[in-house]
Amino acid sequence: MEERGMSREMIEALLQEKKLKDLSYERILSSMCTYPHEMAAYAHKMFLESNLGDSGLFPGTKEMEDEVIRMLGALLGNENAFGYLSTGGTESNIQAVRAIRNRKRKEGMSNMNMNIIVPETAHFSFDKIADLLSINVQKASLDEELRVDVNSVESLINDKTIGIVGIAGTTEFGQIDPIKELSEIAMDKDIFLFVDAAFGGFVIPFLDENYEFDFSLDGVSAISIDPHKMGMSTIPAGCILFREEFYLDELVVSTPYLTTKGQCSLTGTRSGASAAATYAVLKYLGKEGLKTIVDECMRLTRLLVDGAKRIGIPPVIEPVMNVATLSFPESEVGRVVNALEERRWRVSITRTPKALRAVIMPHTDEETIKLFLDDLEDVV
Ligand SMILES: *Cc1c(COP(=O)(O)O)cnc(C)c1O
């Protein structure tokens, strides 16, 4: 830091310069984030200083958080769910697993060989979980459509298995695991079932096809859903929901010198601004508004996949959600992605099978898809 501060004009110029280095979302097809809705940005600014880590000082913000929990619970089949607004899918995943681990410890299970079972497609946050919580994360194999194979899940379950995870909207392929079957296994064996719907939570309820994936299935114990992805809110906004309040209690530490007695979140100080943003945008859009957004993303996803088929590139799976994955020979995919990058496109590459991945977020429009397809055809 300099001894003396700079003028506001100089800072503004510096910020402009940095802003220009950042990419704008227009040609980004590799991200699950997007421009926040204008209503969310408005609310975010208005509550910038609000800290939900000390919510007794911000009862108005707390009311909004509680209301968001009710709204998202209702969207996911249980308006009486218990939870809080996290910093995102990673924190939600950590907390879900931490809650069941603590509960099992309390019941007398030792940490030794404690495990959870996740699909091979699980988000990399589960690698952090294995490290942080000292539990084994077992990976179940997939079926041909890249959904978790329930037989593989069942075969991995042992007496130290504390939870199983299903993904409703996989990060790489946008596939939905057979949550109903997982729910049956969970009930049958009395195991905690966590549904990672970080991305899919704001998509699946609005698809034309009906998928069972939420609290309406009795075996589902907890769900994660991210308002900062398809919920059009500001970063950081995630949400973890539990069917039973006692799981939330497993996360509580007491908070001396604050206005509250205890705290269940992983972070201490946490953004009231993004809680306000989430509240505002969900109130503004309603289910109707969210469905309109999902409908358009799905229409454009199909447009991209159909266009790619016409130039001879098949999808890895027919799109289930607004994620398109295009199949190339493994030796080709890197070259194609690099060539597209030279044309200022940002797409990503999946792990297995290797494919080009494009997420069609609300910042994408039909013109963009057409330009992308033209460049794709050129490049191949
Ligand atoms: C994005 C994502 C996460 C991680 O969420 P962050 O908000 O980036 O921490 C977890 N699970 C799934 C399925 C995701 O798509």
Side-chain angles (χ1 to χ4, degrees):
M1 213 187 299
E2 305 293 339
E3 195 54 42
R4 295 196 60 188
M6 297 161 83
S7 71
R8 185 182 175 98
E9 287 69 31
M10 283 170 85
I11 305 294
E12 284 180 0
L14 280 176
L15 292 175
Q16 258 327 311
E17 186 189 314
K18 303 297 180 193
K19 188 79 184 176
L20 283 171
K21 290 186 178 169
D22 285 355
L23 303 186
S24 68
Y25 272 115
E26 272 68 33
R27 284 185 168 228
I28 297 181
L29 300 173
S30 60
S31 176
M32 290 185 150
C33 289
T34 189
Y35 294 112
H37 192 280
E38 179 271 318
M39 198 69 247
Y42 173 88
H44 192 102
K45 250 193 218 156
M46 186 167 171
F47 285 83
L48 259 190
E49 71 285 7
S50 167
N51 170 22
L52 278 170
D54 199 359
S55 60
L57 301 178
F58 305 97
T61 311
K62 183 68 192 147
E63 267 180 35
M64 288 191 280
E65 179 181 39
D66 292 345
E67 172 86 18
V68 170
I69 296 300
R70 268 196 300 279
M71 285 192 275
L72 294 184
L75 179 68
L76 301 173
N78 180 2
E79 62 182 326
N80 298 313
F82 302 88
Y84 76 92
L85 296 184
S86 68
T87 51
T90 300
E91 179 180 343
S92 300
N93 287 357
I94 293 169
Q95 294 286 76
V97 179
R98 181 169 158 236
I100 182 62
R101 185 205 61 174
N102 289 357
R103 179 139 189 107
K104 288 294 166 184
R105 269 190 186 163
K106 194 178 276 173
E107 288 170 9
M109 192 188 278
S110 84
N111 242 53
M112 183 113 108
N113 297 328
M114 220 186 236
N115 66 76
I116 58 170
I117 299 162
V118 308
E120 256 173 30
T121 40
H123 185 263
F124 56 78
S125 48
F126 285 96
D127 297 337
K128 301 181 185 177
I129 289 171
D131 186 36
L132 277 169
L133 299 176
S134 300
I135 57 163
N136 295 328
V137 174
Q138 309 272 9
K139 304 227 162 137
S141 57
L142 311 177
D143 67 14
E144 258 125 65
E145 292 290 302
L146 306 177
R147 287 177 290 240
V148 75
D149 176 350
V150 286
N151 293 320
S152 171
V153 172
E154 247 186 319
S155 71
L156 287 168
I157 293 176
N158 62 29
D159 57 359
K160 298 303 292 279
T161 301
I162 61 169
I164 54 181
V165 176
I167 309 172
T170 60
T171 313
E172 289 183 287
F173 297 96
Q175 183 54 284
I176 303 169
D177 284 330
I179 310 294
K180 187 171 186 193
E181 273 106 313
L182 293 177
S183 166
E184 275 154 21
I185 295 174
M187 287 205 291
D188 203 40
K189 305 204 186 266
D190 193 22
I191 295 179
F192 182 88
L193 170 59
F194 171 55
V195 176
D196 182 352
F199 186 66
F202 278 107
V203 178
I204 301 166
F206 306 111
L207 293 175
D208 293 336
E209 197 153 337
N210 191 35
Y211 294 92
E212 290 180 280
F213 78 106
D214 63 14
F215 286 119
S216 56
L217 298 168
D218 290 335
V220 173
S221 310
I223 307 180
S224 151
I225 174 172
D226 272 2
H228 68 201
K229 288 180 176 167
M230 284 294 284
M232 307 303 290
S233 189
T234 55
I235 299 170
C239 175
I240 176 70
L241 295 169
F242 294 97
R243 183 188 293 277
E244 309 281 357
E245 191 167 17
F246 61 74
Y247 286 117
L248 214 49
D249 295 339
E250 292 294 343
L251 301 171
V252 172
V253 298
S254 60
T255 48
Y257 55 78
L258 295 188
T259 52
T260 47
K261 283 206 198 66
Q263 189 175 85
C264 59
S265 54
L266 190 60
T267 57
T269 300
R270 72 188 163 98
S271 171
S274 49
T278 305
Y279 171 85
V281 72
L282 295 184
K283 287 279 180 200
Y284 184 82
L285 289 172
K287 285 190 200 169
E288 202 177 52
L290 289 168
K291 181 165 171 45
T292 304
I293 291 170
V294 170
D295 281 349
E296 179 65 0
C297 289
M298 288 306 297
R299 184 180 78 82
L300 296 177
T301 305
R302 280 187 217 102
L303 204 66
L304 193 159
V305 168
D306 291 345
K309 279 182 188 166
R310 269 196 296 279
I311 50 181
I313 310 162
V316 179
I317 57 168
E318 287 298 325
V320 176
M321 297 192 350
N322 47 329
V323 180
T325 44
L326 305 181
S327 196
F328 288 94
E330 202 166 324
S331 55
E332 262 293 274
V333 63
R335 185 194 66 81
V336 171
V337 168
N338 286 338
L340 287 167
E341 200 158 300
E342 271 165 30
R343 299 179 182 216
R344 295 185 299 113
W345 295 104
R346 286 294 183 281
V347 289
S348 50
I349 302 178
T350 57
R351 292 169 294 182
T352 8
K354 287 255 185 287
L356 183 159
R357 164 182 176 266
V359 188
I360 309 307
M361 293 299 289
H363 57 258
T364 309
D365 60 16
E366 187 163 338
E367 183 60 22
T368 306
I369 298 291
K370 286 182 175 153
L371 290 171
F372 178 77
L373 284 169
D374 287 347
D375 278 345
L376 184 68
E377 185 166 16
D378 259 11
V379 159
V380 300

